[in-house]
Structures are given as C-alpha cells and as structure tokens.
Amino acid sequence: MNLSTLHSLRALRTHGGPGARSGNPLRTRTDRLGPERLLAVAAGRLSDARPDLAARFDLTALPGLLDARAALATEEDDPAGGVLAVVVVDRFRLPEWVAETCRFALSVPGERAEPWRRAFTRTVFLAGRPGNLTGRFAFDHVAEDGSAAWCGPASGAATTSLRRILKTFSGTRELSAWPPVTVEVPAPDGTVRPPVHRDLYVATARVTVSELLVQVNHLVVEAVLDGLIAPGDRLTLRPVPRLTGTTVPFAALRVDADPHAPSGLRAYAGLTEES
C-alpha cells in the first residue's frame, strides 16, 4: 500500500465512511474547552480503539472512564504483550523532535499502523545514544541529527532486549514557555495533498519534559495516522499554561488524567483546524 492510498484511507476513517469518527466532539467546535468536552474526547478515543471496553463501562461519566482506563492499564502490565513503539532519546529539542516524530509515523506501513492505533499508539521512551546501538539493534527510523531513534511499532517481545539494557527516559524538569516556532513536516516521498498550516498548542503549567514526550507523541502520531498531518504541512508550536478555557477550533486534542487532580482530566496538547 503506497503512502497516498494509506492517507486516503486514514482521511476516510477520520471524516466519513466505514469506521469514521462521526461523533468526534472536536469537529467544527469553537465553544470554550471545559470538562464536558474533555470527557467526550477521552471517551471517544477509548471507544474508537476498544469498543469492547466501551461496552463494559459507562463512558458518559468520569468514574466509568477511569474504571475503563484502569482495566486497560492492567492489560498493559505485561511488558512483552501488545503492540508498541520504542524511542531511544539522546538529545531533546521540541521542534526537531516533532518533525522527526511525524517522519517516523509517516513511514509506518498500514498493516502495522492499524494495530498500533488500536493499542492507543503505545510508546516507550528510553534514554540512550542511538549511534552506540545501531550495530546491535535495527532501528526503523533514526533522526537526521542522531538525537533519537525509533523501533516498531511491533509486539512487545520484539524490543524486550533493547528495553532491558536502557533506562526509561527521565525528564523531570518542568516546561517553560518558548516563542512560537514553526516546523515543516518532512516530505521525502512527496505530498499526498496540498500542504496545510496548523497550530500545535502545548500546555506547560506543571508539565515535565517526560510528560510532554508522552502526551505530544500521542497527539502527533495519531494525527498522522488519521491523515490530519501529512508531508509538507507546517505546524506552529505554541506554548500555553493551560488549554482549558480556550475557544480555539481544535481538530485533535490530547486528553489524559491530571496527576495533580487524580479525579480529573486535562488537555495536554491540541492541533487546530487548518489555518
């Protein structure tokens, strides 16, 4: 399956046709981002990927969503099970990392992307120097500057040895604001549609570098797999303390549990409609 066909299928799934997310609460919405929308987005993501869990729990209320997430976490306790990607990080700069993450996601073939999407694009971040590991491990993508390398997505067993020798990436420093910066998604194989420009909002208040890696990774990767981000697109990275309360028209939103409010949800990043 070539890149153009794959993106057509992803766009169909996102905007209409079989399996489409017709109930996406983000589409064309410009009202203020609040708890109800956060719950709807989180529940919709879980329902799309795991309808079996959606059938077991009441996702219209926060307790049911949290119970479903707990059941999912129990399934993921087996490190060799499921489908996941592994990223080895040496140096981290957000603009370059976003561009390379897009490039990696664009390179994932459809037969591997679909099960990864159903596994909530699970990704493990490890600390290491890819240049010291290329002789021992076959990476699927290496950043041009060697700052990071990607394996998978594949079964957990395929990366067990790599995950055993490296420690989890630990970025405990909390984020600080930065001037908006625009990156262009690499287009080594040409474009599949006219490039568009979107803003990528990132929440910074009480968010660590490690949390940013996890949360923005999910948003960017799933936007690529769903056809919202394509080769040649331009993304302007914009820091904000919090996304809650904004009226920006988001096309995709990353919502997860807030560790500072265990019973609540938080929007960590958002990708706007085309601008």
Side-chain angles (χ1 to χ4, degrees):
M1 183 181 294
N2 60 37
L3 187 59
S4 178
T5 301
L6 179 59
H7 268 79
S8 296
L9 291 175
R10 289 170 181 166
L12 177 67
R13 185 183 64 185
T14 304
H15 301 296
R21 292 166 172 78
S22 57
N24 187 345
L26 294 174
R27 304 305 301 176
T28 70
R29 292 290 295 273
T30 58
D31 51 316
R32 189 171 298 275
L33 182 61
E36 290 185 359
R37 287 184 67 197
L38 296 184
L39 176 61
V41 170
R45 181 172 182 262
L46 193 147
S47 297
D48 286 337
R50 290 290 302 274
D52 57 315
L53 280 179
R56 290 169 48 196
F57 299 95
D58 177 15
L59 302 186
T60 64
L62 184 58
L65 176 66
L66 296 178
D67 287 344
R69 288 169 55 87
L72 182 65
T74 300
E75 293 180 7
E76 294 178 347
D77 282 344
D78 178 6
V83 176
L84 55 86
V86 174
V87 188
V88 177
V89 181
D90 181 14
R91 305 179 307 280
F92 174 74
R93 289 191 70 251
L94 182 61
E96 289 80 1
W97 177 78
V98 166
E100 291 293 345
T101 297
C102 289
R103 175 178 283 177
F104 163 69
L106 286 164
S107 73
V108 176
E111 63 271 15
R112 294 166 68 184
E114 289 299 329
W116 190 33
R117 190 67 170 83
R118 291 193 299 271
F120 302 96
T121 57
R122 183 183 175 195
T123 304
V124 175
F125 293 91
L126 305 175
R129 294 185 175 180
N132 295 340
L133 299 166
T134 52
R136 299 175 58 186
F137 300 97
F139 291 106
D140 293 280
H141 175 71
V142 179
E144 288 188 343
D145 62 0
S147 59
W150 285 254
C151 286
S155 68
T159 55
T160 297
S161 57
L162 177 62
R163 288 183 284 122
R164 281 177 177 170
I165 68 171
L166 297 179
K167 295 181 179 180
T168 300
F169 180 85
S170 177
T172 57
R173 176 178 59 84
E174 291 193 358
L175 300 180
S176 55
W178 63 84
V181 57
T182 299
V183 300
E184 184 170 325
V185 179
D189 299 321
T191 60
V192 296
R193 58 159 169 73
V196 301
H197 175 258
R198 301 178 190 270
D199 289 332
L200 174 56
Y201 283 82
V202 179
T204 60
R206 303 187 76 179
V207 177
T208 67
V209 172
S210 292
E211 290 170 332
L212 174 139
L213 278 174
V214 172
Q215 305 295 351
V216 176
N217 177 77
H218 282 300
L219 178 72
V220 169
V221 164
E222 292 174 14
V224 169
L225 298 184
D226 291 344
L228 292 174
I229 296 177
D233 286 358
R234 296 169 66 246
L235 306 175
T236 297
L237 313 180
R238 299 185 181 277
V240 290
R242 295 172 180 81
L243 275 72
T244 302
T246 62
T247 56
V248 176
F250 288 114
L253 195 65
R254 173 61 185 175
V255 177
D256 201 1
D258 185 349
H260 305 293
S263 61
L265 299 172
R266 180 175 186 180
Y268 284 89
L271 187 69
T272 66
E273 298 282 0
E274 300 173 18
S275 60

